[in-house]
Amino acid sequence: MQQMFITPMVPINSIADIGSEKKVTSGQTGSSMFQDIFKEAIQNVKSTDENLTMQEYLLSTGQIDDAHTVPAAAAKAQLSAELLTALRNKALEAYNEMIRINI
């Protein structure tokens, strides 16, 4: 009988931890973590938009063999923009909620 190995689940502390192996240092403040999340989301929007532009250029000049990469790049660009918008909306909702709290 073969013995199975189960990898334990590791909790995700922030959105920035998804897909990366970098760990948050103990000296990092909450505001810089918050800022890093938005910087990463903005950079993701920029890079996916640049990739979409390049794929569209390659398609229009006939340099691309598989045309399905253009809609895939467009979907990635759209999803990254929607994620950034959702992050912004949630941050504004949280800020407005904190403003309403009576001290």
Side-chain angles (χ1 to χ4, degrees), residues 86-99:
L87 284 171
R88 182 206 62 190
N89 291 343
K90 288 296 181 180
L92 286 174
E93 286 175 18
Y95 175 77
N96 288 332
E97 190 66 30
M98 288 178 10
I99 293 294

Side-chain angles (χ1 to χ4, degrees), residues 42-96:
I42 291 169
Q43 183 59 39
N44 192 15
V45 170
K46 288 179 183 179
S47 66
T48 55
D49 187 51
E50 289 172 359
N51 183 30
L52 175 60
T53 304
M54 179 56 74
Q55 294 296 326
E56 288 173 340
Y57 171 77
L58 292 174
L59 180 67
S60 65
T61 58
Q63 299 177 22
I64 196 167
D65 293 331
D66 47 354
H68 71 278
T69 59
V70 178
K76 284 182 183 179
Q78 181 181 3
L79 285 173
S80 65
E82 288 175 1
L83 175 64
L84 179 61
T85 304
L87 284 171
R88 182 206 62 190
N89 291 343
K90 288 296 181 180
L92 286 174
E93 286 175 18
Y95 175 77
N96 288 332

Side-chain angles (χ1 to χ4, degrees), residues 16-58:
D17 291 343
I18 297 175
S20 67
E21 295 299 322
K22 65 180 182 179
K23 299 294 180 193
V24 177
T25 59
S26 61
Q28 192 175 15
T29 63
S31 62
S32 65
M33 281 179 38
F34 185 76
Q35 184 179 15
D36 290 343
I37 290 171
F38 275 94
K39 281 184 180 180
E40 186 175 339
I42 291 169
Q43 183 59 39
N44 192 15
V45 170
K46 288 179 183 179
S47 66
T48 55
D49 187 51
E50 289 172 359
N51 183 30
L52 175 60
T53 304
M54 179 56 74
Q55 294 296 326
E56 288 173 340
Y57 171 77
L58 292 174

